[in-house]
Amino acid sequence: MTHLPIHTPYDGSSKLFQIGLKPLDLRNWIEIDETFDFQLAEKRRIYAEHPDDVFVAEQGTEEAQAEVLALLSEHLPARFPERYRREGDRLIVIGHPELEGLDARKLPSLHKASLLVQEDLIVMRRGEEGWRLAAGSLCFPSSWLLTEKFGKPMSTIHEPVPGFGPGTRNAGLIDRMFDKLQVGQPVERFNWSIQAGDALYHPLSNAGRIDRATGRPIRFPDVEAAARAFIRVERQTLRKLPVSGDILFTIRIHLDPIALLKGRPDRAVLAASFAGQLMALDAEQLDYKGLTADRDRLVEALEGMAGLSRQERR
């Protein structure tokens, strides 16, 4: 991976454990970068290997799923003609012959839609208990399991997140924001975490990160190992569907080696801000992010990247 990070919410612009919704220009609803071909192929592989883990849908969501597919089929060739084109009623994904005839396959519409883009797609529906996860395709989970969250309201989904569980102020704010979301006024937010490798399919909890080769928990034994870690950035969007009234939640994963920050002209400021955010996390937040054992080594690596001397460090 040779590109510079596209999104750097760890610069302080999107603080962890805050809602941080911002207006989104619909032209920028979906993102495409140089990992497009790899990530679409990876989705097909994950669907083949974990079909029961990465797709769920309630009965009665078929029309909403079709609505998502229709919106994407309209948006993609107009926004990215170099990647998509229409041939009659068919949408062609250029360079992906495996997707030929996708429209005719007997798959749920949300499944089809998920194979067209790098984003994961979640449909939220309003019920008596609030907004619940009614359907979803999640090939690139960030330390959570789709099947465990299926059918549950937002407050229960967020129960493990410090300050966001049932009865908290943030849980109430999220429900109200979902209720007030208007068609044509989508929003976006960012989240980020640290992981040892570059796996997109990451369903394990952060606290239980396991090295598949050794079967042991992954830890960064020294500063050099911490400097080889990956930053997992989630770009999330919320868009109210005009027909069903459901909300489409998209999650786009960017995986960037921490070492890539060295190539940025603003690396000193960025690395110092990143380190400061890690130092600001409390014990409960560190535990949730799986960083209790590794935070200090990560901070030391970032401060070294920022060019801080030992005297300038904490």
Side-chain angles (χ1 to χ4, degrees), residues 48-62:
E49 294 183 5
H50 308 279
D52 296 331
D53 297 326
V54 299
F55 185 85
V56 295
E58 293 179 357
Q59 289 187 351
T61 60
E62 292 81 8

Side-chain angles (χ1 to χ4, degrees), residues 191-205:
N191 194 13
W192 55 270
S193 56
I194 308 291
Q195 66 182 60
D198 61 355
L200 286 163
Y201 182 68
H202 197 265
L204 299 172
S205 68

Side-chain angles (χ1 to χ4, degrees), residues 53-247:
D53 297 326
V54 299
F55 185 85
V56 295
E58 293 179 357
Q59 289 187 351
T61 60
E62 292 81 8
E63 291 184 2
Q65 292 183 51
E67 192 177 358
V68 172
L69 179 59
L71 286 172
L72 284 171
S73 297
E74 178 183 2
H75 175 83
L76 294 173
R79 178 67 178 86
F80 304 106
E82 72 282 5
R83 285 293 189 176
Y84 305 90
R85 70 171 184 271
R86 297 206 66 89
E87 290 186 359
D89 293 334
R90 294 191 304 154
L91 178 65
I92 304 299
V93 185
I94 298 168
H96 289 266
E98 301 88 350
L99 297 176
E100 292 288 338
L102 179 64
D103 55 316
R105 297 181 198 174
K106 293 182 178 179
L107 295 172
S109 294
L110 194 67
H111 184 158
K112 294 179 184 179
S114 71
L115 295 174
L116 299 173
V117 293
Q118 293 171 261
E119 283 81 359
D120 282 324
L121 308 173
I122 305 292
V123 173
M124 305 297 297
R125 176 164 287 182
R126 191 71 163 89
E128 292 182 0
E129 295 184 89
W131 291 87
R132 71 181 185 277
L133 198 165
S137 169
L138 186 74
C139 290
F140 304 148
S142 297
S143 302
W144 62 286
L145 298 175
L146 182 62
T147 51
E148 289 184 355
K149 309 295 185 183
F150 179 43
K152 295 182 179 178
M154 288 292 292
S155 61
T156 303
I157 289 172
H158 288 147
E159 188 168 7
V161 184
F164 282 79
T168 62
R169 178 177 178 273
N170 283 322
L173 283 173
I174 290 172
D175 273 342
R176 288 193 291 275
M177 288 175 181
F178 273 51
D179 286 339
K180 292 178 180 179
L181 189 65
Q182 299 296 310
V183 174
Q185 296 180 353
V187 293
E188 71 175 350
R189 70 180 298 272
F190 290 88
N191 194 13
W192 55 270
S193 56
I194 308 291
Q195 66 182 60
D198 61 355
L200 286 163
Y201 182 68
H202 197 265
L204 299 172
S205 68
N206 277 314
R209 292 174 298 179
I210 302 297
D211 186 315
R212 294 180 181 179
T214 66
R216 294 191 298 270
I218 294 171
R219 290 291 179 262
F220 306 129
D222 51 39
V223 174
E224 287 73 22
R228 293 193 298 271
F230 283 76
I231 311 165
R232 186 182 185 100
V233 172
E234 296 178 59
R235 177 183 180 259
Q236 305 170 354
T237 77
L238 293 167
R239 179 176 182 178
K240 187 167 186 177
L241 301 177
V243 178
S244 65
D246 294 337
I247 290 177

Side-chain angles (χ1 to χ4, degrees), residues 238-258:
L238 293 167
R239 179 176 182 178
K240 187 167 186 177
L241 301 177
V243 178
S244 65
D246 294 337
I247 290 177
L248 177 64
F249 176 46
T250 74
I251 309 168
R252 172 73 161 84
I253 300 299
H254 296 268
L255 272 178
D256 300 313
I258 285 180

Side-chain angles (χ1 to χ4, degrees), residues 226-302:
R228 293 193 298 271
F230 283 76
I231 311 165
R232 186 182 185 100
V233 172
E234 296 178 59
R235 177 183 180 259
Q236 305 170 354
T237 77
L238 293 167
R239 179 176 182 178
K240 187 167 186 177
L241 301 177
V243 178
S244 65
D246 294 337
I247 290 177
L248 177 64
F249 176 46
T250 74
I251 309 168
R252 172 73 161 84
I253 300 299
H254 296 268
L255 272 178
D256 300 313
I258 285 180
L260 279 184
L261 299 183
K262 294 179 181 178
R264 294 182 62 98
D266 58 349
R267 63 185 177 276
V269 173
L270 188 57
S273 177
F274 196 167
Q277 286 215 58
L278 289 173
M279 287 304 300
L281 297 178
D282 63 29
E284 188 180 11
Q285 293 168 341
L286 284 170
D287 185 60
Y288 174 76
K289 285 292 184 180
L291 293 172
T292 302
D294 298 323
R295 190 268 304 273
D296 290 347
R297 283 184 285 272
L298 285 163
V299 167
E300 187 174 352
L302 288 164

